[in-house]
Amino acid sequence: MAIDNPQPKGSPFINGPRLLDRHRAMAQIGATANGGVNRQALTPEDTEGRRLLLQWATARGYTASIDPIGNLFIRRPGVRSSLSPVMTGSHLDSQPTGGKFDGVFGVLAGLEVLETLDDHNVATARPVELVVWMNEEGSRFAPVTMGSAVAAGAVPLERVLATQDTKGMTVSEALAQQISQLPPLESRPLGAQGFAYIEAHIEQGPVLEGARCDIGVVSAIQGLHLYQVEVLGFAAHAGTTPSKHRKDALVAANALIARIRSEVADPLDVLRFTVGRFEVAPGSPHVVPGKVTFSIDLRHPDPEHLLRTGDRILEICSGEIEHCSISAKALLRSSPVLFDERLVSVVLNVAESRGFAHMSMVSGATHDAKYMADRTPTAMIFVPSEKGISHNELEHTEDEDLCAGTQILCDALLVAATMEL
Amino acid sequence: MAIDNPQPKGSPFINGPRLLDRHRAMAQIGATANGGVNRQALTPEDTEGRRLLLQWATARGYTASIDPIGNLFIRRPGVRSSLSPVMTGSHLDSQPTGGKFDGVFGVLAGLEVLETLDDHNVATARPVELVVWMNEEGSRFAPVTMGSAVAAGAVPLERVLATQDTKGMTVSEALAQQISQLPPLESRPLGAQGFAYIEAHIEQGPVLEGARCDIGVVSAIQGLHLYQVEVLGFAAHAGTTPSKHRKDALVAANALIARIRSEVADPLDVLRFTVGRFEVAPGSPHVVPGKVTFSIDLRHPDPEHLLRTGDRILEICSGEIEHCSISAKALLRSSPVLFDERLVSVVLNVAESRGFAHMSMVSGATHDAKYMADRTPTAMIFVPSEKGISHNELEHTEDEDLCAGTQILCDALLVAATMEL
């Protein structure tokens, strides 16, 4: 990709009120009492969100298609349709008590760019394609970024389709159910790739707000490991079993977590260590727990530090603790990813040119952009999250920040879409 | 009650093969893959168990009735029907991964006594009544011994009927559903009481086996407190939130449990402290936990020690820990209960007379007998539990021990039922 002129001279202004209206409409789907959303992947709410988006897209005449893992593509044609597209996108699914802009912002910002180009009769050499990735959050079906990982060939389609939710329903079944409730869509093969991919997203952390910046120019995504640990004790009567006869899986799991936390503790506070799921069986108040299963989410920007820490955790999670046996396995080991330097420069330059306060940063969260980066020059744009609150119903981004991020996305995509190879 | 002749001279022998057959038939209802049962209160399995029992009872011409909280009564008439009955009983409900003799033994032993009396044409002055208490285990609906507590007036009927399971179904709804699936039953008011109540039960602990005894003569039940603790943090993104900004409810709850455990630790190993339920919200691997709710089951035979420890736990469970707020409430505070000395002597004497190795003991588990003891002279008979395993699918009691316990129950009830006031 050659960048002759990264300045967005003549780039049209996006339609802010329309962008905000659409956010409000989307936030009603799966709305929770505390102002967030619960729109987990492939649930009826997720389906309703996709239907609404498709309604907006088809009203403007864009064509829509879906790949075998349920990634949804909306395309605005280019002057030269043989050229590979300039792409943008994000996800519509949420955490169970998620915020209303997480993922949605990147999707609606992308749609706004397509419509802005139409409003201003801007023809681009390359097609512009908006993608809605299936199951970025990994909440109902683990792990995260399922759709983009399959699209990139990082995990096999068949294995992912067989993944079950806690009620035993597979991705395959849930996806078939969703597709039957969407308008007819063109089928397309796996392996989405393009000339460039730029994803807009809320930061989900406190850095931009703390630095009083409007725009984060994201140069990389830190690595993410996900482990599942099982602690096996022996269920026993809470009233009759003396301490010395117990194999209490909860006591053992807590001791194990305390030990791991103390061993991996990072004085620089760069490593992220989280036990987010913790399930006790049989789970009755009057029974000594016989089994505990818990998750470890581990992240670090340095690939070697991450691997070393992950290996150490697997080492600790073997053998016995408090008379209970421990076993652990890695569900995901995803290395840090560096974005395309030239495309990151495009974002930096348009932010500079529009006069927004901006900074370069590493993403703490993983994103679908991580898998696109394997096959397509990729960059990301962050907008601030109030108090850094994310994966929480109180997550918030100000209207002007949503508009600023969308404008930068529009400018950057236009630079990429009109460039000649 | 005056006991002139506690020797069971002329007491008939129970029918061991019939008793064991019925245990095998009952163990098939809700049978689990690992040899236990899942027959939680007011589930279809519980209903099926009650139907089978009623089938056996009505085949022998016994009358059956039910009280407003779902306790089921099966009556063999006495010569003098105006006299208050001699009672026995236990429960048919189980833990989710419970054993096949817990509760069931006391019910089937009671039925065996009624039938033995008929087989041998033994008339008793007093009626003999078998009771099946509703929801002893407190697993689907908390807390434990729900039916006997309401019968004794210890908790109000209306409040208990409104108790919900985790899916939001009330006891009232589940009970109505069960009754609609049972054969027609006479209604009787709350407030069951009798001339005497003797409950047979498996020990659920390792004491009898360790002492090589066949029969436990139970003189008391230790006290039981049940607490619910809530730790409130703030849900946050696992990838973007630095440690210093986290309010991780799981980290805080684990620190809190470790602190309580260390403060209440009992070098004599008499105190029982168990966290059996531990629920994390939102429970996604990629979200820092915002809330943890856990239970504390606390037991001790000494009322003052128990109260002092419970108060100390409530004191610790207030304020803050690891930047999270703590709140706690007592769901149950049940004092230790001493059984009727004269009735305990009846059990002791018949065990002695039959030549079984026996010992006096305190029950580590709570039982419905606890609430009967408020209104009716009460005693209990224990039989050994293999390796002390209980509330576990591997729970086991040997055939000869089931038969011995039933014989002692028969002898003791007969002494009580034929006694004159």
Side-chain angles (χ1 to χ4, degrees), chain A residues 349-394:
Chain A
N349 288 334
V350 297
E352 184 74 32
S353 170
R354 285 280 180 189
F356 289 122
H358 58 86
M359 65 183 288
S360 180
M361 62 191 302
V362 170
S363 173
T366 194
H367 294 284
D368 296 302
K370 174 191 167 66
Y371 284 110
M372 275 307 277
D374 286 352
R375 306 159 66 92
T376 297
T378 291
M380 285 191 80
I381 300 166
F382 275 178
V383 293
S385 294
E386 197 176 271
K387 294 183 189 152
I389 295 170
S390 176
H391 283 191
N392 187 300
E393 293 160 285
L394 301 180

Side-chain angles (χ1 to χ4, degrees), chain A residues 45-199:
Chain A
E45 292 75 23
D46 183 43
T47 304
E48 204 183 329
R50 287 177 157 215
R51 284 172 65 95
L52 181 60
L53 181 78
L54 285 167
Q55 193 182 307
W56 289 329
T58 51
R60 293 302 291 243
Y62 305 137
T63 54
S65 58
I66 194 163
D67 73 10
I69 192 60
N71 298 316
L72 190 65
F73 298 82
I74 289 167
R75 186 181 177 104
R76 180 177 186 264
V79 175
R80 293 169 58 188
S81 62
S82 62
L83 292 180
S84 61
V86 165
M87 299 176 72
T88 185
S90 197
H91 59 97
L92 287 178
D93 69 301
S94 81
Q95 291 288 335
T97 52
K100 54 189 175 300
F101 299 119
D102 183 348
V104 181
F105 169 58
V107 172
L108 297 184
L111 180 66
E112 179 55 36
V113 171
L114 267 61
E115 296 197 75
T116 295
L117 297 182
D118 272 317
D119 292 347
H120 295 264
N121 297 311
V122 178
T124 56
R126 300 182 172 277
V128 183
E129 213 165 61
L130 166 64
V131 52
V132 182
W133 301 106
M134 197 284 288
N135 188 25
E136 194 267 356
E137 296 289 1
S139 174
R140 177 179 175 192
F141 298 102
V144 298
T145 57
M146 193 173 256
S148 50
V150 171
V155 287
L157 174 65
E158 292 310 319
R159 199 179 76 198
V160 169
L161 286 175
T163 303
Q164 296 182 357
D165 66 11
T166 55
K167 290 181 181 147
M169 190 179 224
T170 62
V171 167
S172 176
E173 289 160 352
L175 180 57
Q177 203 171 72
Q178 173 169 93
I179 288 173
S180 75
Q181 288 159 10
L182 293 178
L185 295 165
E186 228 172 90
S187 287
R188 58 184 279 161
L190 286 177
Q193 61 188 112
F195 179 71
Y197 174 78
I198 307 178
E199 179 169 350

Side-chain angles (χ1 to χ4, degrees), chain A residues 204 235 240 246 274 286 297 392, chain B residues 204 240 246 274 286 297 392:
Chain A
Q204 309 180 261
T240 61
R246 294 191 179 197
T274 308
H286 307 297
D297 173 308
N392 187 300
Chain B
Q204 309 181 262
T240 61
R246 293 190 181 197
T274 308
H286 307 298
D297 173 308
N392 188 299

